[in-house]
Amino acid sequence: MKKQGKLIVHTGSMFSGKTTSLWRELYRMRIANYKIAAFKPAIDNRDDDKKIVSHDNLELDAIKVENLNDVLDYATKHELDAIGIDEVQFFPNDPTEVIDIFNELMAKNITIVVSGLDMDYKTRPFEIIKEIMPIADELTKHHAICASCGEDAWASYRKSTDESRIQIGSKDKYEPLCRECYNQMMSERENTKNQISLEELGE
């Protein structure tokens, strides 16, 4: 298993197995005696601060960092062979800076395994994922199961009406939907919103 100096990207909707795949990649590298470390964004407060936890409860020791510059510093200082980065879309770095950081890591022969959402709840691409996908050595788009019809899910549907782009949550706040079910749910939500607005105007 020779994966030195590569970028491996796992992306897709929520509940699609991205973090599980990250866990699996790093587990195999650990067996191959790679010196590894995993990182998670400081904004992610869903689970133990010192662990990455997949939706099927696989756990991975992790270091919480504010930005990807911290990852570069740590990996260089500790002479790592490979790193895992979960929820990469939540880091505040500019996408151009992310590419520079990743290229510097790979130039040091460090393999990077990344997991992250490809789109937000409005199906707008996350900029970091959009920019790193073309430079990936290995790229996997994962699919969850649509919570409504059972087809392959395409999007992460937010159950609440909160319109902030970033809202940390799990099954309490999101569910995976296929394109048809997602579009139907969003259309119904918009119709309800418009109806409420008309009723308020009529008061």
Side-chain angles (χ1 to χ4, degrees):
M1 180 182 112
K2 296 202 174 187
K3 289 193 174 181
Q4 293 97 340
K6 295 183 180 295
L7 174 59
I8 302 168
V9 176
H10 292 278
T11 190
S13 70
M14 293 185 70
F15 316 110
S16 63
K18 304 181 302 300
T19 301
T20 299
S21 295
L22 181 145
W23 181 93
R24 187 179 297 114
E25 298 269 12
L26 293 184
Y27 180 76
R28 292 180 68 240
M29 290 178 186
R30 181 176 287 147
I31 291 174
N33 294 318
Y34 282 41
K35 188 177 179 182
I36 66 171
F39 302 87
K40 61 188 292 186
I43 193 175
D44 188 352
N45 57 8
R46 288 173 297 180
D47 299 298
D48 189 318
D49 278 353
K50 296 182 179 180
K51 291 185 182 296
I52 292 168
V53 183
S54 70
H55 291 296
D56 51 357
N57 294 318
L58 290 173
E59 294 186 352
L60 185 67
D61 290 339
I63 302 162
K64 246 187 179 181
V65 291
E66 294 290 338
N67 57 63
L68 292 172
N69 304 83
D70 297 333
V71 174
L72 174 61
D73 292 342
Y74 186 97
T76 302
K77 181 179 178 180
H78 292 82
E79 298 182 346
L80 299 179
D81 299 310
I83 60 171
I85 304 172
D86 194 36
E87 303 290 7
V88 70
Q89 77 282 350
F90 288 151
F91 284 100
N93 301 77
D94 181 84
T96 302
E97 183 183 23
V98 173
I99 291 176
D100 290 342
I101 290 170
F102 282 7
N103 281 333
E104 186 170 347
L105 286 165
M106 289 187 286
K108 297 177 186 294
N109 228 21
I110 298 171
T111 289
I112 310 158
V113 184
V114 167
S115 67
L117 291 168
D118 53 353
M119 300 183 293
D120 64 19
Y121 79 104
K122 286 188 175 180
T123 68
R124 297 170 300 190
F126 277 110
E127 290 77 12
I128 287 179
I129 290 290
K130 183 173 69 173
E131 293 300 320
I132 66 172
M133 286 171 69
I135 67 168
D137 294 279
E138 299 178 25
L139 172 64
T140 305
K141 167 107 174 186
H142 296 268
H143 295 278
I145 303 300
C146 177
S148 181
C149 72
E151 293 293 327
D152 281 350
W154 171 70
S156 306
Y157 175 75
R158 182 179 292 174
K159 298 176 184 179
S160 75
T161 55
D162 186 310
E163 294 194 356
S164 56
R165 190 178 196 195
I166 303 297
Q167 185 183 63
I168 306 297
S170 187
K171 292 181 180 178
D172 57 328
K173 295 180 180 177
Y174 294 93
E175 63 181 5
L177 294 178
C178 70
R179 190 187 301 266
E180 183 177 351
C181 292
Y182 172 86
N183 288 336
Q184 180 179 342
M185 292 286 281
M186 292 300 284
S187 177
E188 290 174 1
R189 174 173 290 183
E190 190 63 25
N191 289 339
T192 300
K193 183 178 176 181
N194 291 338
Q195 183 62 37
I196 292 172
S197 297
L198 288 173
E199 290 174 355
E200 289 175 345
L201 286 172
E203 289 181 355

